[in-house]
Amino acid sequence: MTSRTSDFAGATVAPFRRRSEGLPRQRGGSADQPRRGQVLTTKVGLQMPSGTTYEDWEQAGRQLSGIVDSSSWWLGDWLVYGKDHYTDRYQRGIRTAGLQYQTLRNYAWVARRFEFARRRQALTFQHHAEIASLPVDEQEMWLDRAEQKKWTTKQLRGALRVARTDEPRGGKQTEATRRLALPDSRLQWWHKAAEQSGLGLEQWVLETLDSAAGRALEEIAEMEEIQERSGISSISA
């Protein structure tokens, strides 16, 4: 598949070149050395040209960050298309491509929550992931705020945490009243995981449970699809 720069709005050509995988590696030669002003990318690393200025190094970092961020959307959309069009074969395609299904499934979930026209180029994939579980109108509100105030992902997460803390507890909102008996060791473990994620314990627990529930329901739906197809095949046979 040939990629054309003109297909992507606002795309820029990165000062990178890739070593031709078909050419033999020459010891002591210049075949693998970056040309002046270029960064050499290979499957196993990145080579910076000698004498790279700070400005060029900084620009390369921005471009690499953009590639990583865009690739999350690309992989998410790729899996969504595969699941929609090749329900009986897409997992084989994932294995053939050498990708991790768990990671792809997270990307695909965010991609489904934001149709193409609603994605903000000024914000990262992670910005969108932070609010993917919210209703569409709330997603738009937070995207607007993050874009206007130029929030980092961490700042957006903090603003969300404050907003949830300030939510009124009365009215139609209901609260769970059941309590779980947990050993102290597990609670400390959860606190540590929440801190590493930059979340409060309650929010971390809710997001973790929501994510686990989504995966479980998705797996059930996939099994039902497989069983349904198997039943149809048996009847046809």
Side-chain angles (χ1 to χ4, degrees), residues 155-168:
Q155 289 172 323
L156 172 59
R157 187 182 302 139
L160 285 165
R161 184 163 60 247
V162 170
R164 285 162 179 157
T165 302
D166 292 341
E167 285 179 353

Side-chain angles (χ1 to χ4, degrees), residues 5 7-8 39 50 60 62 79-80 96 116 138 209:
T5 303
D7 290 340
F8 300 93
V39 177
S50 59
R62 288 197 303 269
L79 182 59
V80 168
T96 301
F116 199 82
E138 292 186 35
L209 289 175

Side-chain angles (χ1 to χ4, degrees), residues 4-161:
R4 298 178 300 170
T5 303
S6 58
D7 290 340
F8 300 93
T12 58
V13 179
F16 298 107
R17 71 182 179 91
R18 295 192 61 173
R19 181 177 65 82
S20 174
E21 302 298 338
L23 296 177
R25 189 185 299 273
Q26 299 178 5
R27 293 182 179 273
S30 60
D32 288 348
Q33 294 302 313
R35 296 175 184 173
R36 185 174 181 83
Q38 287 185 319
V39 177
L40 177 64
T41 59
T42 74
K43 290 182 67 175
V44 294
L46 187 78
Q47 289 182 282
M48 304 291 296
S50 59
T52 298
T53 65
Y54 173 82
E55 289 74 17
D56 287 341
W57 173 81
E58 186 181 59
Q59 180 187 6
R62 288 197 303 269
Q63 291 177 314
L64 287 169
S65 177
I67 292 170
V68 171
D69 188 64
S70 297
S71 68
S72 299
W73 286 119
W74 298 340
L75 288 168
D77 290 333
W78 176 77
L79 182 59
V80 168
Y81 186 91
K83 292 187 70 173
D84 290 347
H85 292 80
Y86 315 112
T87 54
D88 57 337
R89 291 178 291 169
Y90 80 95
Q91 290 202 16
R92 186 180 70 187
I94 292 171
R95 290 192 297 271
T96 301
L99 298 167
Q100 294 294 323
Y101 179 57
Q102 179 58 56
T103 301
L104 286 180
R105 185 160 56 182
N106 293 337
Y107 292 160
W109 181 71
V110 176
R112 282 196 187 277
R113 296 289 295 167
F114 294 94
E115 58 189 52
F116 199 82
R118 294 181 53 235
R119 300 174 188 177
R120 310 291 180 93
Q121 291 192 24
L123 301 176
T124 67
F125 178 88
Q126 192 58 40
H127 279 95
H128 294 75
E130 291 291 337
I131 57 173
S133 62
L134 299 176
V136 171
D137 57 340
E138 292 186 35
Q139 289 176 355
E140 292 298 312
M141 178 189 71
W142 285 107
L143 288 175
D144 287 340
R145 289 182 182 178
E147 196 169 19
Q148 292 165 5
K149 298 183 179 183
K150 299 185 181 339
W151 280 341
T152 63
T153 304
K154 187 174 181 180
Q155 289 172 323
L156 172 59
R157 187 182 302 139
L160 285 165
R161 184 163 60 247

